[in-house]
Amino acid sequence: MKIWAVAGLSLLLLAGCSSNTADKKEALVGETLYGNKCSACHGGNLKGAVGPSLLNISNKYSEDKLFKVISEGTDKMPGHLLSDAESRVVAKWLLEKK
């Protein structure tokens, strides 16, 4: 009986860890992509440089709108610097920043 309880608890713990690990990996990928493709204009600290600050961007854009801006660009920002999948990861990462 104890072995089943231990096995069940272990599975629950592992299931919880795996999604947390996936979230951490996605955040690391988002941060890396941002650092490689976006930080030259928007600053390594998100406070802006040539481009505007991206701090609290969630107050201005939904995930879909931010994805579109990153993917397609704007009149002042080039688009298509990232694949659609990469743009989605960066958008999610930016929306978590305060």
Side-chain angles (χ1 to χ4, degrees), residues 44-86:
N45 57 7
L46 306 176
K47 291 184 179 179
V50 175
S53 170
L54 299 176
L55 292 172
N56 297 312
I57 199 74
S58 62
N59 293 336
K60 186 174 182 179
Y61 292 110
S62 68
E63 183 179 331
D64 288 336
K65 179 64 177 169
L66 184 56
F67 166 77
K68 185 175 179 179
V69 169
I70 293 169
S71 297
E72 298 175 11
T74 65
D75 57 334
K76 296 179 183 178
M77 184 180 105
H80 310 291
L81 296 175
L82 301 169
S83 70
D84 283 352
E86 291 170 333

Side-chain angles (χ1 to χ4, degrees), residues 1 5 15 18 33 36 41 58-59 67 76 80 88 91-93:
M1 182 80 157
S18 65
L33 288 168
N36 291 338
C41 292
S58 62
N59 293 336
F67 166 77
K76 296 179 183 178
H80 310 291
R88 183 69 66 187
K92 286 181 181 181
W93 180 78

Side-chain angles (χ1 to χ4, degrees), residues 9-29:
L9 183 59
S10 296
L11 287 174
L12 286 173
L13 289 173
L14 288 174
C17 291
S18 65
S19 78
N20 191 18
T21 300
D23 291 346
K24 286 181 182 178
K25 285 181 183 178
E26 187 173 90
L28 181 59
V29 170

